[in-house]
Amino acid sequence: MSARKYSLALVLTFLGATTAAQAADKPTDPQIAHIAYTAGAIDVAAAKQAIAKSRNKVVVSFAKDMLRDHQAVNKQALALVGKLKVKPEDNATSRALSDAAGKTKASLAKLRGAAFDKAYVANEVAFHQQVNGALQTLLIPSASNSELKGLLETGLKIFQGHEQHAVHVAAELR
């Protein structure tokens, strides 16, 4: 199975979840906080898997960057929700993201060497594209709290850089 198929499953699940969220009422700030934190936690877990499995220095370096940056953003998010006394609210989008990520992680666990590296990086490209799109079109416009909106906008800038970095790494692996 190709790297694209692993990424496609996650992307389709995320697209379905965000489309459903857009069709319904816009998400609330507690739901947005949960979605954003979940997406960050998913990338932290993916980075840890890549660091443990890959022997490619470029892939491991990229994964370490993802680990550091997503942990930092999630730490900021937790501090903000604590300050605002907002309890993140579980929702269908967060659950869909988690379910798809679990399947992707299991699929990646079966791969080794270059096949793993390519699939991991392809998934990172696809995941960041979808998360960035959701931030731009749904999460940021739906956020009512200015501090939450600001954190999401900062995260978007960071994650756009991640997407570009992942595209560059994917090109190196071809």
Side-chain angles (χ1 to χ4, degrees):
M1 211 178 264
S2 72
R4 289 182 192 185
K5 288 182 183 176
Y6 296 124
S7 301
L8 186 59
L10 181 61
V11 170
L12 290 175
T13 302
F14 188 73
L15 280 175
T18 44
T19 301
Q22 287 170 330
D25 293 330
K26 68 180 187 173
T28 63
D29 284 357
Q31 291 169 334
I32 292 168
H34 200 278
I35 293 165
Y37 186 85
T38 299
I42 286 167
D43 217 32
V44 165
K48 287 179 179 179
Q49 183 182 30
I51 291 166
K53 282 194 66 111
S54 183
R55 300 295 170 249
N56 182 305
K57 290 179 184 180
V58 173
V59 172
V60 171
S61 176
F62 171 76
K64 286 180 179 179
D65 288 347
M66 296 304 101
L67 179 66
R68 179 196 64 231
D69 291 353
H70 284 280
Q71 284 178 329
V73 170
N74 272 3
K75 183 177 178 182
Q76 289 176 336
L78 287 176
L80 179 60
V81 296
K83 174 186 168 191
L84 299 175
K85 296 182 176 36
V86 171
K87 182 177 183 235
E89 184 181 313
D90 191 16
N91 57 79
T93 302
S94 295
R95 287 188 297 275
L97 284 170
S98 293
D99 291 346
K103 291 173 184 169
T104 299
K105 183 177 180 179
S107 296
L108 289 173
K110 297 174 186 174
L111 301 175
R112 297 182 191 276
F116 171 84
D117 294 336
K118 288 178 184 178
Y120 164 70
V121 174
N123 187 66
E124 286 295 296
V125 170
F127 187 70
H128 282 92
Q129 287 172 342
Q130 295 310 310
V131 169
N132 291 343
L135 281 165
Q136 289 176 312
T137 63
L138 180 64
L139 302 180
I140 292 170
S142 297
S144 59
N145 179 280
S146 62
E147 289 181 85
L148 175 60
K149 189 178 291 252
L151 180 61
L152 295 171
E153 290 168 342
T154 299
L156 175 60
K157 289 176 187 164
I158 293 167
F159 305 149
Q160 287 170 330
H162 288 175
E163 180 183 335
Q164 292 172 353
H165 190 183
V167 167
H168 177 75
V169 173
E172 282 187 42
L173 296 176
R174 289 184 189 161

